[in-house]
């Protein structure tokens, strides 16, 4: 095992009822650094009994936690925010090591993830209610908001920190107790966050961490437990669909942040000095492994050649290599399996007629793939229908703006779209796009203060913003005599 350079103690166990512990049968699974192939930790595998213990602990802690004052919950999150801010280098290094991302992406995620604790520390004390007279004047309508109950939080590997704090922050702020289930690839970041909450003073049972093996049946068993009243899931649409079916049996409240297939529309008149750096960011942030990553570029024919030339020039200078070398701008994919999926997509695109302008190959020595630009892609080709999740830019040329909008909307996904062009034109186009979010003349839109979420098969509910905490609260209507 290769030790981390920054961390004094790396947690690789389950956290249940306020204690770190091995799985009931002592089994572990390896956590691998995709940049080197080295095993960096053997993480405890949770059994059915461990998952059951986590649910019981969260259930037992709920009555007292839900009755704490909003200020107390706010202060816990604020302390956790301060610890994460002070330890951001360690936080980032753990992400680099288990996920493979570039150092700049890891630091950006550490900052972004940390901000969710500050934002929800601020939201904890601002939960709204209502008190009205009915139209007939015969009753007072009181609407109170109460925490939903035990929340199961399932997160993906691509943003192992931010997806966890974006759920833990509002859950704890609302007064719910939580069980965090991170992806098998990236449990160390989750364990670090849970340790921070523990150090910040989270009472036992309020936050628990399990890594069930096998995943599907044990997550389903937790959802089936009557104590679990909330599932917040971030991951693929395929798994989200399955979990929605499981939740139907016990009518569990769900929030779903699922897959994306983000279109980029470059309108006639777009300023390429502004659009190209932003488009590059939309594509290459987190190595393209983002649900918000630009997946398909629809570029007006008047700008197409120049756009391709400038993007290719930018992509060909991206420094690629291990994230621990802080000068590298593009790190490894999370695993060789993910890298091979990207390579196969590029091969298919070429077979369908696309031309490789830059890149187009795996790099030896780790799960690396070259920054790549494909031109001559046609809407409908496999690469325009699939979430690429890697550093590959696919460019489609168009003539009519109406066609670009139609192609952008021609997908079952609806998370985010990017529009570049004169602001008024871009705003009009934004209103016609079937997505939960649109970035206009910008490459990144994520912000803890904004409601993040998708339309169509990209999800249900919103995270962040003032909406985020409502996902963990139930409305209670009380009728009073006037
Ligand atoms: P995934 O769906 O394979 O896994 C996500 C989580 O679900 C992991 O913790 C995994 O262990 C767990 N899981 C897998 N199978 C399960 C099952 N049968 N039952 C219960 N849990 C199960 O997704 P991934 O590969 O980790 O992440 C990539 C996906 O996540 C992409 O589709 C991406 O778009 C999506 N994503 C969405 C957002 C968003 O906010 N919309 C953010 C980040 C990632």
């Amino acid at each position: 095992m290769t030790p981390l350079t920054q961390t004094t103690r790396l947690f690789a166990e389950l956290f249940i009822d306020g204690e770190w512990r091995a799985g009931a049968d002592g089994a572990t699974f390896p956590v691998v650094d995709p940049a080197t192939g080295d095993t960096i930790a053997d993480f405890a595998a949770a059994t059915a009994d461990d998952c059951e213990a986590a649910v019981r602990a969260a259930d037992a802690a709920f009555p007292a936690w839900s009755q704490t004052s909003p200020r107390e919950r706010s202060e816990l999150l604020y302390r956790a925010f301060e610890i994460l801010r002070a330890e951001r280098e360690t936080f980032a290094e753990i992400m680099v090591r288990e996920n493979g991302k570039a150092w700049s992406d890891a630091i950006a995620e550490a900052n972004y993830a940390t901000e969710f604790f500050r934002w929800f520390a601020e939201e904890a004390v601002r939960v709204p209610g209502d008190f009205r007279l009915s139209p007939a004047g015969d009753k007072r309508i009181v609407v109170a908001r109460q925490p939903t109950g035990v929340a199961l939080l399932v997160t993906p590997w691509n943003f192992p920190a931010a997806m966890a704090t974006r759920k833990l922050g509002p859950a704890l702020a609302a007064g719910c107790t939580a069980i965090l289930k991170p992806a098998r690839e990236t449990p160390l970041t989750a364990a670090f966050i849970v340790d921070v909450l523990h150090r910040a003073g989270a009472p036992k049972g309020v936050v628990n961490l399990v890594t069930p093996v096998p995943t599907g049946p044990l997550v389903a068993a937790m959802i089936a437990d009557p104590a679990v009243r909330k599932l917040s899931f971030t991951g693929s649409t395929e798994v989200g669909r399955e979990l929605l079916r499981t939740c139907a049996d016990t009518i569990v409240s769900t929030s779903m942040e699922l897959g994306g297939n983000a279109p980029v529309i470059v309108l006639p008149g777009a300023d390429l000095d502004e659009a190209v750096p932003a488009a590059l960011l939309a594509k290459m942030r987190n190595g393209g492994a983002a649900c918000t990553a630009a997946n398909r570029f629809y570029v007006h024919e008047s700008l197409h050649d120049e756009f391709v030339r400038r993007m290719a020039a930018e992509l060909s200078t991206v420094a690629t290599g291990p994230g621990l070398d802080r000068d590298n701008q593009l790190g490894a994919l999370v695993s060789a399996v993910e890298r091979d999926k990207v390579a196969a997509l590029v091969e298919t695109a070429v077979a369908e007629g696309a031309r490789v302008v830059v890149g187009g190959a795996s790099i030896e020595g780790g799960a690396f793939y070259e920054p790549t630009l494909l031109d001559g892609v046609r809407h409908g080709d496999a690469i325009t229908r699939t979430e690429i999740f890697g550093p590959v830019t696919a460019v489609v040329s168009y003539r009519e703006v109406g066609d670009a909008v139609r192609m952008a909307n021609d997908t079952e996904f609806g998370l985010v779209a990017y529009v570049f062009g004169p602001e008024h034109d871009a705003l009009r186009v934004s209103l016609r796009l079937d997505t939960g979010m649109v970035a206009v003349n910008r490459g990144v839109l994520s912000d803890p203060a904004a409601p993040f979420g998708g339309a169509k098969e990209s999800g249900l509910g919103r995270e962040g913003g003032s909406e985020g905490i409502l996902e963990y609260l139930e409305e209670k209507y009380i009728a009073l005599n006037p």
Side-chain angles (χ1 to χ4, degrees), residues 154-159 163 166 181-185 215-217 219-220 233-237 239-240 242-243 257-260 290-291 338 387 389 415 452 458 463:
V154 180
T155 54
W157 49 259
N158 63 334
F159 288 109
M163 299 304 98
R166 195 162 83 174
K181 202 247 47 87
R184 194 89 65 82
E185 293 84 348
T215 307
V219 169
F233 172 76
T234 297
S236 59
T237 296
V239 173
E242 193 179 319
L243 291 175
E257 295 291 350
L258 307 177
C291 52
E338 284 296 314
E387 199 175 18
F389 245 59
L415 189 61
F452 186 105
S458 286
E463 291 192 313

Side-chain angles (χ1 to χ4, degrees), residues 127-141:
V127 171
D130 201 4
F131 182 75
R132 280 179 278 151
L133 188 61
S134 66
D138 64 336
K139 65 179 88 65
R140 290 281 173 191
I141 296 172

Side-chain angles (χ1 to χ4, degrees), residues 445-460:
L445 51 54
S446 303
D447 191 309
F452 186 105
K456 300 199 284 188
E457 294 185 21
S458 286
L460 297 168

Side-chain angles (χ1 to χ4, degrees), residues 2-163:
T2 321
L4 295 184
T5 53
Q6 307 274 353
T7 325
T8 47
R9 184 169 172 203
L10 196 60
F11 291 92
E13 291 187 304
L14 315 176
F15 190 73
I16 298 172
D17 210 15
E19 283 177 7
W20 293 101
R21 49 165 113 158
D25 65 3
T28 61
F29 58 90
V31 182
V32 174
D33 179 343
T36 60
D38 292 347
T39 293
I40 52 170
D42 289 306
F43 205 98
T47 63
D49 286 348
D50 296 321
C51 293
E52 159 83 19
V55 174
R56 295 282 73 80
D59 192 29
F62 178 70
W65 181 246
S66 61
Q67 293 302 314
T68 52
S69 69
R71 179 65 72 203
E72 198 175 321
R73 299 196 294 271
S74 169
E75 283 173 355
L76 168 80
L77 288 171
Y78 197 80
R79 285 193 296 275
F81 158 76
E82 286 187 318
I83 298 173
L84 283 178
R85 188 159 63 169
E87 299 182 11
R88 71 182 200 134
E89 295 252 325
T90 304
F91 197 15
E93 184 177 345
I94 296 172
M95 283 187 257
V96 168
R97 292 300 300 279
E98 66 176 355
N99 169 281
K101 61 180 70 193
W103 182 261
S104 54
D105 284 325
I107 280 288
E109 182 175 354
N111 291 336
Y112 176 49
T114 300
E115 284 298 333
F116 280 107
F117 281 171
R118 175 154 65 176
W119 175 258
F120 285 108
E122 291 161 347
E123 287 299 285
V125 293
R126 313 228 185 288
V127 171
D130 201 4
F131 182 75
R132 280 179 278 151
L133 188 61
S134 66
D138 64 336
K139 65 179 88 65
R140 290 281 173 191
I141 296 172
V142 178
V143 182
R145 288 203 165 90
Q146 297 181 316
T148 305
V150 173
L152 177 59
L153 313 175
V154 180
T155 54
W157 49 259
N158 63 334
F159 288 109
M163 299 304 98

